[in-house]
Amino acid sequence: MNKKAIWVIIGLMGAAVIGVVCLQLGLIFTAIRVNEDKFEKDVFEALNTVVKRIEKEEQRDAFGNYANGFVTSYLESEISSMANQPAIEINFAQHTIRTLGTDRMDPDQVSTILSNECQCSRCVAERDQIYRKLFAYYQQDMHGIPIAERIKLPYLKALLKRELANRGIDIPYTYGVYSKQSNSFVIVDDHYVVEEANPQEIAPGYQNIYNSNFQVHLFPEDMPSSPGLLMVHFPTKASYVWSSNIPNLIGFILFTSIIFYCFAYTIRVIFTQKKLSEMKNDFINNMTHEFKTPIATISLASDSITSPIISGNPEKVRRFANIIKQENIRMNNQVEKVLQMAVIEKQDFSLKFTDINLHEVIERAVENIGLQVEKREGVVKAVFDATNPIISGDLTHVSNIINNLLDNANKYSPDHPEITVYTRNIAGGVEVTVEDKGMGMSKEARKHIFDKFYRVHTGNLHDVKGFGLGLSYVKAMMTAHKGTIDVKSELGKGSSFILFFQHKIDNK
Ligand code: ADP
């Protein structure tokens, strides 16, 4: 998969995830808005019912009082002014007077009683007149009475509580009755408000109620206008509206996080795999390259041996045979390295632990690399400070470890290598440091050098060949020896690989 395709897929996946998140957020916010609308509708319904009940209650009291005296005297005067009225009208009047005089009714009930009587046009007109008169009396009587005196506080309190509860609203609230006559609150939360020094100013404690959206006119039928407002403030309205959506929100956050985590993880895996595949390609290229040279050399040498000029000269034959042998050993070493890695990968290796004198191993390794280093006008030496260099390990692998590190120290020192191997005793074992003054590595490279197939690109730049397997082999072997490996390196200044081997390994 090429890089462009990966980015297109990531882009599409990203757009899809963001799209789903936006849609989901949209749904949640719509649900919250619907909740809020319902809450507001319920509150206004409750407040309008409260206001209506209060007004009807007041009218009932007033009409009850008027009806008795007023209707009686009004109809009596009517009757007396009409000497020979038909019997039904007198009956209607007497019956009405009786009913209106005994019960306490609101205007609707009065109007119903009146309309249950005779339906002739005269009676209807008369009834209207009675009704209008009663209402006019009521309006007149209430005009100018302070609003606080018209409201029975316990009744308002109980009614408000009941109407809100009937609609499922049982959250805390504060309420107030605001008088338009005095431009101030006259009732706040179950108590009457004593006249403010400056009634035009709303006390800070009442600001919330005053600024609330939930306001309805009290006594809306009053003429010319309503004398005041009933206002209610819900301090926890927002959390109430959101509360029913909290499970949705938690689910949304949880599942979105999972999706994002998986998304990020997938992208990481894609890039890791891509890098690995690139590294494997590099490895194959390097390997081909590494084998090409010895194959070509062997081919040339064998051609030469078979040529008649050379074949007669035993000295030259021996030389070319030696070249073939050397190249063969070189190829064998390469194959061995790759095979070692395959074995380690399968965890299919058994170590033969014996007591090893590390100083001897190091001496041999220094000697082996010595020729190559000297050819490049460099120095390689060992400084043995360890008094007890005996460790427990597998001789072949321990030798490979030291050889690999020395080989790298030589390879990655661009000119005149200066390599030193130090040993010293530390608690429980021997510490070996392979130090060079070569090209060193960046911090980023240090993080990856023990990964399989990893090679720093400057390695290629300097045309240093390798498979990127050496250090991962060293690391795997140090772990198998229950030892440790650490690296200190600075770009351009050199590197130190610090190994720790145990004198004795338990449960080997
Ligand atoms: P190879 O040497 O075959 O590339 P290694 O696993 O031995 O593979 O090393 C991995 C990488 O670590 C190398 O490509 C090189 O860039 C870096 N490296 C290893 N040893 C040294 C060193 N002594 N100095 C600088 N860089 C090093």
Side-chain angles (χ1 to χ4, degrees), residues 146-217:
I147 194 164
E149 288 174 24
R150 295 174 67 182
I151 291 175
K152 294 174 200 141
L153 190 45
Y155 183 61
L156 169 66
K157 180 183 164 189
L159 198 56
L160 190 57
K161 192 171 173 180
R162 195 183 70 207
E163 290 303 325
L164 288 172
N166 281 350
R167 287 161 181 84
I169 300 168
D170 55 359
I171 54 172
Y173 60 86
T174 50
Y175 68 95
V177 170
Y178 183 79
S179 164
K180 289 191 206 167
Q181 299 148 335
S182 63
N183 281 335
S184 65
F185 278 103
V186 289
I187 292 175
V188 170
D189 287 342
D190 311 343
H191 61 264
Y192 289 100
V193 178
V194 182
E195 192 79 22
E196 302 282 327
N198 180 1
Q200 304 301 322
E201 254 177 39
I202 303 296
Y206 307 156
Q207 282 291 352
N208 283 338
I209 306 177
Y210 185 73
N211 293 330
S212 165
N213 291 333
F214 301 112
Q215 306 189 350
V216 288
H217 289 284

Side-chain angles (χ1 to χ4, degrees), residues 386 388 423-432 484 498-501 503:
N388 175 8
T423 65
R424 64 179 181 131
N425 281 117
I426 58 170
V430 184
E431 187 187 79
V432 181
T484 56
I498 303 140
L499 310 170
F500 172 72
F501 293 97
H503 286 310

